[in-house]
PDB file of all heavy atoms in Angstrom:
ATOM      1  N   THR A 187     -18.760 -38.480  -0.575  1.00 85.00           N
ATOM      2  CA  THR A 187     -19.624 -39.366   0.091  1.00 85.00           C
ATOM      3  C   THR A 187     -21.105 -38.913   0.002  1.00 85.00           C
ATOM      4  O   THR A 187     -21.394 -37.733   0.266  1.00 85.00           O
ATOM      5  CB  THR A 187     -19.283 -39.541   1.525  1.00 85.00           C
ATOM      6  OG1 THR A 187     -17.847 -39.752   1.694  1.00 85.00           O
ATOM      7  CG2 THR A 187     -20.048 -40.466   2.383  1.00 85.00           C
ATOM      8  N   GLY A 190     -26.320 -38.456   4.059  1.00 82.00           N
ATOM      9  CA  GLY A 190     -26.985 -39.412   4.809  1.00 82.00           C
ATOM     10  C   GLY A 190     -26.344 -40.715   4.851  1.00 82.00           C
ATOM     11  O   GLY A 190     -26.926 -41.528   5.780  1.00 82.00           O
ATOM     12  N   ALA A 191     -25.211 -41.089   4.253  1.00 80.00           N
ATOM     13  CA  ALA A 191     -24.611 -42.350   4.342  1.00 80.00           C
ATOM     14  C   ALA A 191     -23.405 -42.306   5.342  1.00 80.00           C
ATOM     15  O   ALA A 191     -22.587 -43.244   5.287  1.00 80.00           O
ATOM     16  CB  ALA A 191     -24.128 -42.790   2.893  1.00 80.00           C
ATOM     17  N   MET A 192     -23.306 -41.247   6.094  1.00 80.00           N
ATOM     18  CA  MET A 192     -22.086 -41.129   6.939  1.00 80.00           C
ATOM     19  C   MET A 192     -22.343 -41.940   8.274  1.00 80.00           C
ATOM     20  O   MET A 192     -23.366 -41.835   8.888  1.00 80.00           O
ATOM     21  CB  MET A 192     -21.869 -39.653   7.317  1.00 80.00           C
ATOM     22  CG  MET A 192     -20.565 -39.328   7.941  1.00 80.00           C
ATOM     23  SD  MET A 192     -19.269 -39.611   6.757  1.00 80.00           S
ATOM     24  CE  MET A 192     -19.626 -38.359   5.512  1.00 80.00           C
ATOM     25  N   ASN A 193     -21.277 -42.775   8.672  1.00 82.00           N
ATOM     26  CA  ASN A 193     -21.323 -43.444   9.992  1.00 82.00           C
ATOM     27  C   ASN A 193     -20.270 -42.737  10.919  1.00 82.00           C
ATOM     28  O   ASN A 193     -19.668 -41.879  10.591  1.00 82.00           O
ATOM     29  CB  ASN A 193     -20.903 -44.915   9.750  1.00 82.00           C
ATOM     30  CG  ASN A 193     -19.519 -44.956   9.019  1.00 82.00           C
ATOM     31  OD1 ASN A 193     -18.692 -44.161   9.192  1.00 82.00           O
ATOM     32  ND2 ASN A 193     -19.297 -46.150   8.251  1.00 82.00           N
ATOM     33  N   GLY A 196     -16.816 -42.381   9.827  1.00 83.00           N
ATOM     34  CA  GLY A 196     -16.598 -41.549   8.804  1.00 83.00           C
ATOM     35  C   GLY A 196     -16.613 -40.032   9.229  1.00 83.00           C
ATOM     36  O   GLY A 196     -15.837 -39.176   8.834  1.00 83.00           O
ATOM     37  N   MET A 197     -17.504 -39.794  10.318  1.00 84.00           N
ATOM     38  CA  MET A 197     -17.484 -38.475  10.863  1.00 84.00           C
ATOM     39  C   MET A 197     -16.311 -38.115  11.565  1.00 84.00           C
ATOM     40  O   MET A 197     -15.733 -37.025  11.525  1.00 84.00           O
ATOM     41  CB  MET A 197     -18.736 -38.334  11.779  1.00 84.00           C
ATOM     42  CG  MET A 197     -20.057 -38.140  11.044  1.00 84.00           C
ATOM     43  SD  MET A 197     -20.017 -36.793   9.845  1.00 84.00           S
ATOM     44  CE  MET A 197     -19.565 -35.512  10.883  1.00 84.00           C
ATOM     45  N   PHE A 200     -13.870 -37.083   9.052  1.00 88.00           N
ATOM     46  CA  PHE A 200     -14.235 -35.607   8.690  1.00 88.00           C
ATOM     47  C   PHE A 200     -13.442 -34.765   9.711  1.00 88.00           C
ATOM     48  O   PHE A 200     -12.867 -33.763   9.270  1.00 88.00           O
ATOM     49  CB  PHE A 200     -15.804 -35.475   8.688  1.00 88.00           C
ATOM     50  CG  PHE A 200     -16.327 -35.444   7.306  1.00 88.00           C
ATOM     51  CD1 PHE A 200     -16.965 -36.537   6.741  1.00 88.00           C
ATOM     52  CD2 PHE A 200     -16.272 -34.318   6.587  1.00 88.00           C
ATOM     53  CE1 PHE A 200     -17.560 -36.561   5.464  1.00 88.00           C
ATOM     54  CE2 PHE A 200     -16.854 -34.331   5.261  1.00 88.00           C
ATOM     55  CZ  PHE A 200     -17.422 -35.337   4.803  1.00 88.00           C
ATOM     56  N   ARG A 230     -19.958 -29.741   4.236  1.00 89.00           N
ATOM     57  CA  ARG A 230     -20.453 -31.113   4.045  1.00 89.00           C
ATOM     58  C   ARG A 230     -20.911 -31.654   5.425  1.00 89.00           C
ATOM     59  O   ARG A 230     -21.965 -32.392   5.474  1.00 89.00           O
ATOM     60  CB  ARG A 230     -19.321 -31.982   3.414  1.00 89.00           C
ATOM     61  CG  ARG A 230     -19.726 -33.402   3.280  1.00 89.00           C
ATOM     62  CD  ARG A 230     -20.840 -33.513   2.227  1.00 89.00           C
ATOM     63  NE  ARG A 230     -21.153 -34.937   1.925  1.00 89.00           N
ATOM     64  CZ  ARG A 230     -21.972 -35.697   2.816  1.00 89.00           C
ATOM     65  NH1 ARG A 230     -22.546 -35.019   3.858  1.00 89.00           N
ATOM     66  NH2 ARG A 230     -22.137 -36.868   2.563  1.00 89.00           N
ATOM     67  N   GLU A 234     -24.707 -32.938   6.401  1.00 86.00           N
ATOM     68  CA  GLU A 234     -25.014 -34.185   6.990  1.00 86.00           C
ATOM     69  C   GLU A 234     -25.681 -34.110   8.283  1.00 86.00           C
ATOM     70  O   GLU A 234     -26.643 -34.950   8.562  1.00 86.00           O
ATOM     71  CB  GLU A 234     -23.637 -34.921   7.131  1.00 86.00           C
ATOM     72  CG  GLU A 234     -23.645 -36.428   7.593  1.00 86.00           C
ATOM     73  CD  GLU A 234     -24.197 -37.241   6.375  1.00 86.00           C
ATOM     74  OE1 GLU A 234     -24.057 -36.874   5.224  1.00 86.00           O
ATOM     75  OE2 GLU A 234     -24.852 -38.313   6.677  1.00 86.00           O
ATOM     76  N   ASN A 238     -28.796 -36.288   9.275  1.00 82.00           N
ATOM     77  CA  ASN A 238     -28.341 -37.616   9.995  1.00 82.00           C
ATOM     78  C   ASN A 238     -28.308 -37.296  11.458  1.00 82.00           C
ATOM     79  O   ASN A 238     -27.494 -36.519  11.957  1.00 82.00           O
ATOM     80  CB  ASN A 238     -26.859 -37.940   9.478  1.00 82.00           C
ATOM     81  CG  ASN A 238     -26.379 -39.327   9.950  1.00 82.00           C
ATOM     82  OD1 ASN A 238     -26.945 -39.825  10.984  1.00 82.00           O
ATOM     83  ND2 ASN A 238     -25.460 -39.888   9.190  1.00 82.00           N
TER      84      ASN A 238
END
Side-chain angles (χ1 to χ4, degrees):
T187 305
M192 194 68 63
N193 54 31
M197 282 309 302
F200 257 100
R230 180 65 180 79
E234 187 72 25
N238 193 336

